[in-house]
Amino acid sequence: MTAPQAGDADRLAPLRRRLLSLGVGEIVAAAVFAVVPSWLPFIAADGAEAALWFSLSPLLFVLVQGGAYWLLARHHLPEPIPRAVARVYQCFRVLDPVLLLACTVGAIVMWPGMSLSAFVIVVVWLFAVAEYINYLHIRLSYPWQTWTSQIGRWSTPRLVRDLRRAV
């Protein structure tokens, strides 16, 4: 790790704020997703709580991973994340699809039948898959104004670039 230069703090301040916003935002999103299902009466009425939690679990796991990554990246600027952290995220690259698959099986076993709850379960699961892809394979998230023009670029997510730099 190189010593920070005198101008680094000023130059990196906007990026640090952005990474803080992203990190806190992902963790808050995970908290919201963890709480909101208890406010949806149709989930309980359909007996879909277990199936919903099977679809929510990988989403929460990936959102917390993402939030932690942004906060760690902010802390280690301008250097990449430490090797030990990179190894943990390399393990997540393997563990996340296993969790997605296992939770898919759980959601299918606990499937509530065709209902509004089933629709919510599928949407949540698809969001979990999209977040996993967005963080560890291909960047999918862009500002709404530029999304259609940027998505076709197939850019590498910052986390993946940091993993490559750290190893």
Side-chain angles (χ1 to χ4, degrees), residues 22-90:
L22 289 168
V24 170
E26 293 293 290
I27 292 169
V28 167
V32 168
F33 277 110
V35 171
V36 166
S38 64
W39 298 341
L40 303 175
F42 62 88
I43 298 290
D46 292 341
E49 297 97 336
L52 180 60
W53 279 105
F54 275 115
S55 68
L56 267 173
S57 295
L59 175 60
L60 299 176
F61 193 56
V62 171
L63 288 173
V64 170
Q65 286 171 36
Y69 161 72
W70 293 122
L71 296 174
L72 286 165
R74 176 185 186 271
H75 178 72
H76 291 287
L77 281 175
E79 299 296 321
I81 56 177
R83 284 189 183 159
V85 173
R87 283 189 208 107
V88 169
Y89 277 88
Q90 290 289 4

Side-chain angles (χ1 to χ4, degrees), residues 112-127:
M114 294 309 295
S115 63
L116 179 57
S117 296
F119 176 75
V120 170
I121 290 163
V122 170
V123 168
V124 167
W125 184 86
L126 288 171
F127 189 42

